[in-house]
Amino acid sequence: MRISSGERRRLAIASAVVRGYDIILLDEPTVGLDIENKVRVLNTIVSTADRGVSFIIASHDPLVEKISTKSIYLGDEP
């Protein structure tokens, strides 16, 4: 059985959440996802963060910045 890159990305995030880590590092968690799945991933991040888990996310997606409590820009700021 083959799964898409978007499914692999969602599975990796779900796996990290279920394992109960205190800090989760994500690199471009929404890349390649349609809007419905992007919103699902972002909602999962927000609800998990509300339970005390910290996320460090590298992303170019402006929606990721909208859910962030702090942003650090590398290179030119928008």
Side-chain angles (χ1 to χ4, degrees):
M1 176 180 176
R2 297 184 66 121
I3 61 174
S4 71
S5 62
E7 289 168 326
R8 282 193 302 272
R9 189 170 310 278
R10 293 192 314 273
L11 180 60
I13 294 168
S15 176
V17 169
V18 168
R19 289 174 187 251
Y21 296 124
D22 293 330
I23 300 172
I24 298 174
L25 308 176
L26 299 175
D27 182 24
E28 298 288 356
T30 59
V31 74
L33 299 180
D34 60 27
I35 190 66
E36 182 179 333
N37 285 307
K38 186 182 289 194
V39 169
R40 284 182 181 159
V41 165
L42 295 175
N43 284 338
T44 298
I45 291 169
V46 169
S47 65
T48 304
D50 286 345
R51 293 191 317 250
V53 176
S54 296
F55 286 85
I56 298 173
I57 304 171
S59 181
H60 292 90
D61 188 334
L63 291 178
V64 172
E65 183 178 7
K66 294 220 183 275
I67 67 163
S68 301
T69 56
K70 182 174 184 177
S71 296
I72 298 172
Y73 296 94
L74 302 177
D76 297 329
E77 288 195 35

